Amino acid sequence: MRAAICVLLTGCARILGFEEVVEPSPDGRVDGPVVDGFVDTPQLACPASYTLTFQGSSYRIVTMLATQWLSANATCVEDGSRTHLIVLSSDAELSAIRAQALDRQFWIGLSDRRDESVFLPVTNEPTIFPPPSGTPWGNGQPADVMMGADDCVELSKEFGQELETVNCGSARNFICECDAFEAAPGNF
C-alpha cells in the first residue's frame, strides 16, 4: 500500500532522493527530470566557457583576441557543433548583450558577404532581426557603399552600442553563442 501511495503522489525516486541520470541527446540537448509535474526545459550541452545565458542560449565574450571576422567565426565554431558568432534575434537579446559588452567593439554573426545588401546570419536561424534599416542600426547604417568594403557587422561602441557595418578584415573582439543552430557556411 505504501509503495502505491508513493508512486501515485510524487514518485518513489524523488522521495527516496534518487535522481535520474540524464545523457545529452544526439542534438546536444539535455532533458531534465520531471519536477512537481513539469518537465525541465531542454538545455543545450554548451562548453563550460560559455558562462553568460539568455533565453536558452549561452555566450562567451572574447576580449583578449581581436581578429578578422572570418577568423572570429572560425574560433567560435571550433568550440562545438552548435557554436558560432552571436546571431542577434531580438531587441531583448541585444539589450542583454549590450549590458555585458562594456566599451568595446565586437563582431556579431551577420554579414552581406554573399549577396550585397542582403545581411545573412552565420546560421540558418529563422530571424527577421535586425530590420534592414533603423534601430538598432547606427545613424546612416547599414552603410555599404561598394562591394566588399563594409560587409561584416559589429556591435559598435562609437554608435552607443548599435550595429555598424565595417570591413571584414578589421580586427575586433567577438561574441560566441551556443544555441540550437549550427553554423551555415553557405551564408558567409
Side-chain angles (χ1 to χ4, degrees):
M1 175 82 173
R2 232 182 204 175
I5 292 172
C6 178
V7 170
L8 289 174
L9 293 177
T10 59
C12 289
R14 186 168 170 211
I15 287 177
L16 297 174
F18 297 108
E19 291 187 15
E20 177 184 353
V21 175
V22 182
E23 296 291 327
S25 65
D27 69 355
R29 292 190 176 274
V30 176
D31 294 320
V34 175
V35 178
D36 297 330
F38 297 98
V39 176
D40 286 350
T41 304
Q43 297 295 316
L44 289 172
C46 293
S49 59
Y50 285 65
T51 57
L52 299 172
T53 60
F54 179 77
Q55 295 184 345
S57 290
S58 297
Y59 308 91
R60 175 170 75 103
I61 297 178
V62 179
T63 59
M64 303 301 280
L65 179 64
T67 189
Q68 298 176 0
W69 190 87
L70 281 171
S71 178
N73 191 55
T75 299
C76 294
V77 169
E78 288 172 3
D79 287 344
S81 66
R82 303 215 185 279
T83 56
H84 47 80
L85 277 174
I86 183 174
V87 174
L88 297 169
S89 55
S90 68
D91 279 319
E93 183 180 24
L94 176 58
S95 293
I97 293 300
R98 276 185 182 148
Q100 302 296 320
L102 306 172
D103 193 23
R104 295 194 169 121
Q105 298 160 303
F106 292 94
W107 287 129
I108 66 169
L110 188 65
S111 78
D112 69 345
R113 295 182 72 242
R114 290 284 177 214
D115 190 3
E116 196 64 25
S117 299
V118 177
F119 288 89
L120 296 173
V122 295
T123 66
N124 284 327
E125 179 176 346
T127 181
I128 56 170
F129 189 84
S133 62
T135 305
W137 292 100
N139 189 27
Q141 295 291 321
D144 204 9
V145 294
M146 58 189 263
M147 185 71 159
D150 293 334
D151 287 336
C152 295
V153 180
E154 71 174 5
L155 181 61
S156 175
K157 67 180 181 176
E158 273 90 32
F159 290 105
Q161 301 296 347
E162 294 173 325
L163 304 182
E164 176 184 4
T165 56
V166 295
N167 186 296
C168 299
S170 301
R172 299 285 186 270
N173 292 296
F174 51 97
I175 302 170
C176 299
E177 180 176 16
C178 176
D179 61 12
F181 300 96
E182 292 182 2
N187 286 3
F188 54 91

